[in-house]
Amino acid sequence: MMNFIQRIGKSLMFPIATLPAAALLLRLGQPDLLNIPLIAAAGDGIIGNLALIFAIGIAMGFAHDNSGGAALAGAVGFLVLTSALKAVDESINMGVFGGIISGIVAGVLYNRFYNIKLPDFLAFFGGRRFVPIVTAAAMTALAGVLFFAWPPIQSVIDSIGNWVLGAGTLGVGAYGFLNRLLIPTGLHHVINTVVWFDFGSFTDASGEVVKGEINRFLKGDPTAGPFLSGFFPIMMFGLPAACLAMYAAAKKEKKAIVGGMLFSIAFTSFLTGITEPIEFAFMFLSPVLYVVHALLTGASMIVSYMFDVHHGFGFSAGAIDYVLNYGLAQNPLTLLVIGLVFGVIYFVVFYFLIVKLDLKTPGREDDEDLVEDTAVYSDDIVEVKAYHTIEALGGLDNIQAIDYCTTRLRLTVKDSDVVNEKELKRYGAMGYMKISKTNVQVVIGTAVEFLAEAMKRRMTNGNPAPKTEESMELDTQPHNVKALPESDFHMPIDGDIIDLSEVPDDVFAKEMMGPGFGIMPKGKTIHSPIDGKVVSVFPTNHAIGLETDTGVEVLIHVGLDTVKLNGKGFELLVENGQLIQRGDALLNIDLDYIKANAPSVVTPVIFTNVEKANLHILKKGFQRKGTDSIVKVDE
Amino acid sequence: MEKKTYTITSSEGLHARPCSMLVSAVTPFKSEVTITYKERTANLKSIMGVMGMGIESGAQVEITADGADESEAIAKVDDIMKKESIGE
């Protein structure tokens, strides 16, 4: 669970990078400063859409390959969620929380479905394209649940908001605590709305009646401010000091990287009072610190209240608002002293907790910490093979996607030229087949599933070297069960399937060579029905022997007595020992010539090393080339 | 270990019919039975292995049996070779 939450935090670092500059633009463009709507709106484009940006960033960070497909799914998910909720209940406002949920759902669904295969007529919607679709469906369902679940939560928070208003010192403290604690859920807006825009009323000199802390303070109400003042010490001093503590506690080699980030988000908070960049930078990486931060905010509110400080802001509690509203404030200098004290407290408490509890703040994460909680990394043989297979394929950088069928890894790579075939074979591969510059297959055998899953896990955690390799006996013998699932045998050529007993040649009809079936061919080319290799071609090219990756032998004998044609009418397209996959062209045949010169064109397909009882013929009659579920071989 | 050398007389060489006859003849034996042709050796109990050698009519092959029932296996091969006019 902790790892899961930390992954959210780590994913957020990418979008957080955009925030400091946006915050500055937003603040500087306000009417009370430069008054340039263009600049303010540009900044607000980012700050105001934090939820959407987080949805995209988290989805991308969660996807095992950081795919743009996941990012799109995150955006789609968030848009669906907010639009659906808005349609049923305008008052539901989930803020950033909606974005975080959407991002997580999209990322998790991406890892689950990115390689899904749909039936042929839906194939366009398969794979990565399926992810935004399924995310949209999931978010629609979730919106239905939240429609019922969220309003009660909102109303609880709303009543807490009303309670704090009349609860004096305790209420002020509780407000500060909840205001921060609720930020990740978006519910702080509910409580803020009550306090800032609805609490109390004041009639100013011109007779205008205003409500809420912020409005009353700006109109000169001397009683306004207890729910605002305490934010200044936190935003101007406390959080920047927390950044300093995180910098001090960062690993030496990472200090330079996180230093620039921490400095800019600290400065943003100090100047503008926009704290989200800091808070989201550590709230998920170390939730403990975030609770401490919320408690200290409550304390700051209480202390400021007790020292009778009244200061406020129209925007947020940063240095700009501090200076602009200085004239309206009461005891503003006391606030600076409180701020400095809180700065020291933040630094000491954060630094102590980070080091003592080994919290994973920015610059302290172990990459290995982010593996799935459920994945137990036993250094078993599969891990060793997975590690070396990835390395032999050119490392994580070269591998774009890992897929597999019954016996083979099917990989998309950046450059197949860097693949080291020798190394692959050293660590258990039975064969290697380069399909194109970006597609390769590695023949592993029926254990491929375990290897592929191990490799996929390793894609997300940096492929750490296994520890116990030296002492391990590498068993590279394939453990093949002589079996063939129906999905792994495709019709080699258009034609009618007939019983072997109908083939007018006793060698085949009496199954002297083994069980099988006959094809009355109607095409020009025999294609490989299986993934495997060519094990025998005959000097006269009229028959071809194949062996599947699982060790099942398939003999395709074109026509009867065709050995006497001495090669005429046949053109062989492969050579002995060559690796092949389903659909590869093997042999061109001249049916007219064969018909004219041999007793029959019937083409027996014989499973020469399979017991009759284990072979099941599943289809009869005319079948198109490439059709699957023709036969099945049991163990 | 017992060995015997033959010249293949079957007109199609060691192809489908003769090959399957030899293979089914030796499969019941416990001994390892192999066929050697042009310095390549294949398991005589594997149709694909034998056919893959592409043994033509007139070729010289050596059959080897190794195991508890090696003499019986060779005797059986000899019988099939002659009876079915595969080799001599």
Side-chain angles (χ1 to χ4, degrees):
Chain A
M1 188 61 199
M2 270 321 285
N3 280 326
F4 186 80
I5 291 173
Q6 284 186 12
R7 236 162 99 185
I8 302 174
K10 218 180 170 199
S11 305
L12 280 177
M13 288 304 163
F14 199 114
I16 280 176
T18 59
L19 299 188
L24 286 177
L25 289 179
L26 175 59
R27 185 64 191 97
L28 295 176
Q30 294 298 314
D32 56 5
L33 263 176
L34 301 179
N35 194 16
I36 305 175
L38 177 83
I39 291 183
D44 192 46
I46 291 174
I47 304 289
N49 290 305
L50 218 50
L52 174 63
I53 293 169
F54 280 8
I56 296 170
I58 291 178
M60 203 169 76
F62 262 63
H64 66 89
D65 55 359
N66 291 350
S67 162
L72 180 69
V76 165
F78 174 73
L79 295 172
V80 167
L81 177 70
T82 46
S83 169
L85 281 177
K86 208 170 153 193
V88 290
D89 187 347
E90 282 272 8
S91 72
I92 294 180
N93 177 5
M94 303 189 61
V96 172
F97 191 46
I100 293 173
I101 295 184
S102 308
I104 294 171
V105 170
V108 169
L109 290 176
Y110 179 85
N111 289 340
R112 172 84 182 71
F113 289 118
Y114 76 99
N115 59 357
I116 190 173
K117 290 199 173 52
L118 298 179
D120 281 349
F121 68 102
L122 288 174
F124 177 80
F125 299 104
R128 288 182 172 79
R129 286 179 191 151
F130 182 70
V131 179
I133 301 169
V134 71
T135 305
M139 295 320 281
T140 307
L142 189 62
V145 172
L146 288 170
F147 168 60
F148 292 105
W150 206 249
I153 298 174
Q154 260 185 210
S155 77
V156 167
I157 300 297
D158 189 55
S159 52
I160 293 175
N162 284 309
W163 168 77
V164 299
L165 298 176
T169 312
L170 187 63
V172 169
Y175 167 69
F177 174 68
L178 288 173
N179 172 282
R180 290 298 106 178
L181 201 65
L182 293 176
I183 281 185
T185 67
L187 288 164
H188 64 299
H189 285 305
V190 176
I191 206 165
N192 284 349
T193 306
V194 177
V195 175
W196 287 355
F197 304 111
D198 201 39
F199 168 49
S201 71
F202 173 69
T203 313
D204 73 358
S206 64
E208 193 188 340
V209 178
V210 291
K211 290 176 73 100
E213 278 270 291
I214 287 182
N215 296 329
R216 287 187 293 117
F217 175 79
L218 294 176
K219 291 291 179 189
D221 182 353
T223 66
F227 290 96
L228 302 173
S229 314
F231 284 117
F232 285 100
I234 301 301
M235 297 181 179
M236 288 174 66
F237 299 97
L239 284 171
C243 289
L244 188 63
M246 288 189 257
Y247 177 74
K251 289 181 193 164
K252 238 187 203 146
E253 68 273 16
K254 290 196 174 163
K255 272 197 167 140
I257 300 172
V258 297
M261 188 266 287
L262 288 171
F263 173 78
S264 65
I265 62 180
F267 178 71
T268 303
S269 173
F270 173 80
L271 191 67
T272 68
I274 294 177
T275 56
E276 276 86 349
I278 301 178
E279 285 160 341
F280 281 102
F282 73 85
M283 79 169 55
F284 292 110
L285 289 176
S286 9
V288 167
L289 282 183
Y290 196 75
V291 174
V292 169
H293 164 53
L295 286 169
L296 285 172
T297 304
S300 171
M301 302 295 287
I302 290 173
V303 171
S304 305
Y305 181 68
M306 293 200 315
F307 279 95
D308 201 23
V309 176
H310 290 260
H311 205 335
F313 47 84
F315 184 85
S316 189
I320 292 175
D321 281 80
Y322 180 86
V323 172
L324 286 176
N325 299 327
Y326 190 83
L328 290 168
Q330 185 181 324
N331 296 333
L333 289 176
T334 313
L335 207 50
L336 290 186
V337 177
I338 296 172
L340 287 172
V341 172
F342 266 87
V344 172
I345 294 173
Y346 262 82
F347 181 82
V348 172
V349 172
F350 268 62
Y351 186 81
F352 177 79
L353 286 177
I354 291 170
V355 173
K356 196 82 185 164
L357 303 179
D358 193 21
L359 299 175
K360 302 299 178 199
T361 48
R364 291 177 61 84
E365 316 96 319
D366 282 325
D367 292 337
E368 286 89 338
D369 278 346
L370 294 174
V371 300
E372 309 246 331
D373 341 340
T374 49
V376 179
Y377 279 78
S378 53
D379 269 321
D380 61 8
I381 197 130
V382 175
E383 293 297 330
V384 175
K385 282 186 184 176
Y387 169 74
H388 287 286
T389 304
I390 289 173
E391 291 303 306
L393 285 164
L396 297 178
D397 292 340
N398 198 41
I399 301 175
Q400 303 282 299
I402 297 175
D403 205 351
Y404 60 91
C405 57
T406 319
T407 51
R408 295 179 172 190
L409 291 171
R410 293 165 183 261
L411 304 137
T412 310
V413 294
K414 272 192 194 136
D415 180 4
S416 56
D417 290 343
V418 305
V419 175
N420 185 337
E421 185 178 344
K422 239 189 192 159
E423 277 291 293
L424 281 175
K425 288 186 172 156
R426 203 175 138 210
Y427 288 99
M430 291 149 64
Y432 167 74
M433 197 174 165
K434 177 174 158 178
I435 311 285
S436 71
K437 183 86 179 156
T438 55
N439 278 293
V440 300
Q441 294 182 1
V442 184
V443 183
I444 300 296
T446 43
V448 67
E449 182 185 348
F450 305 106
L451 181 69
E453 292 302 330
M455 286 172 67
K456 282 184 187 175
R457 280 202 304 275
R458 287 174 160 271
M459 290 296 286
T460 64
N461 73 346
N463 197 28
K467 288 173 209 131
T468 53
E469 181 175 358
E470 300 309 321
S471 60
M472 185 143 15
E473 189 91 356
L474 262 188
D475 169 18
T476 53
Q477 284 305 304
H479 301 279
N480 276 334
V481 286
K482 219 186 281 164
L484 196 62
E486 60 259 45
S487 57
D488 285 8
F489 185 97
H490 287 186
M491 192 73 179
I493 189 167
D494 287 353
D496 293 305
I497 292 182
I498 60 169
D499 257 5
L500 210 50
S501 60
E502 295 167 39
V503 174
D505 181 335
D506 276 356
V507 178
F508 300 111
K510 298 218 162 119
E511 300 185 351
M512 288 167 65
M513 302 189 66
F517 59 91
I519 299 175
M520 291 302 290
K522 297 197 162 69
K524 286 185 178 139
T525 307
I526 305 277
H527 295 263
S528 174
I530 50 107
D531 288 342
K533 64 179 175 191
V534 179
V535 289
S536 60
V537 287
F538 301 88
T540 51
N541 291 349
H542 69 289
I544 184 162
L546 311 174
E547 187 185 46
T548 70
D549 293 339
T550 51
V552 172
E553 294 173 354
V554 183
L555 175 78
I556 302 174
H557 191 284
V558 183
L560 300 179
D561 265 352
T562 38
V563 64
K564 299 198 174 96
L565 300 181
N566 266 318
K568 262 202 104 176
F570 300 100
E571 184 197 354
L572 190 68
L573 306 170
V574 290
E575 54 191 52
N576 219 340
Q578 185 176 334
L579 276 173
I580 44 168
Q581 64 171 331
R582 292 192 288 270
D584 283 356
L586 301 178
L587 184 66
N588 284 336
I589 55 175
D590 182 345
L591 274 185
D592 294 336
Y593 180 83
I594 299 168
K595 263 179 200 153
N597 295 283
S600 171
V601 292
V602 68
T603 299
V605 176
I606 309 296
F607 296 80
T608 52
N609 65 349
V610 171
E611 299 283 332
K612 185 177 171 64
N614 293 337
L615 180 80
H616 308 280
I617 315 281
L618 307 172
K619 288 206 169 122
K620 285 259 173 314
F622 183 75
Q623 303 294 338
R624 286 244 169 243
K625 170 187 94 67
T627 309
D628 62 13
S629 306
I630 301 285
V631 296
K632 176 178 136 180
V633 177
D634 291 339
E635 242 175 85
Chain B
M1 184 150 52
E2 286 218 18
K3 286 184 189 182
K4 195 154 186 191
T5 303
Y6 295 92
T7 304
I8 300 300
T9 52
S10 149
S11 63
E12 54 185 299
L14 259 195
H15 195 52
R17 172 188 293 271
C19 176
S20 56
M21 283 176 165
L22 278 176
V23 170
S24 47
V26 300
T27 301
F29 292 96
K30 287 196 190 77
S31 303
E32 261 184 42
V33 190
T34 57
I35 179 165
T36 304
Y37 169 62
K38 285 188 181 166
E39 293 175 7
R40 283 171 58 211
T41 299
N43 182 354
L44 194 58
K45 293 177 179 175
S46 159
I47 286 189
M48 204 65 96
V50 179
M51 282 179 72
M53 299 181 90
I55 299 168
E56 294 169 51
S57 185
Q60 288 266 331
V61 301
E62 185 180 71
I63 310 278
T64 309
D66 189 5
D69 49 10
E70 54 191 37
S71 345
E72 291 91 330
I74 290 291
K76 180 79 183 175
V77 168
D78 205 54
D79 181 38
I80 294 288
M81 284 278 191
K82 283 174 182 141
K83 202 167 78 191
E84 303 291 338
S85 318
I86 298 171
E88 54 187 29

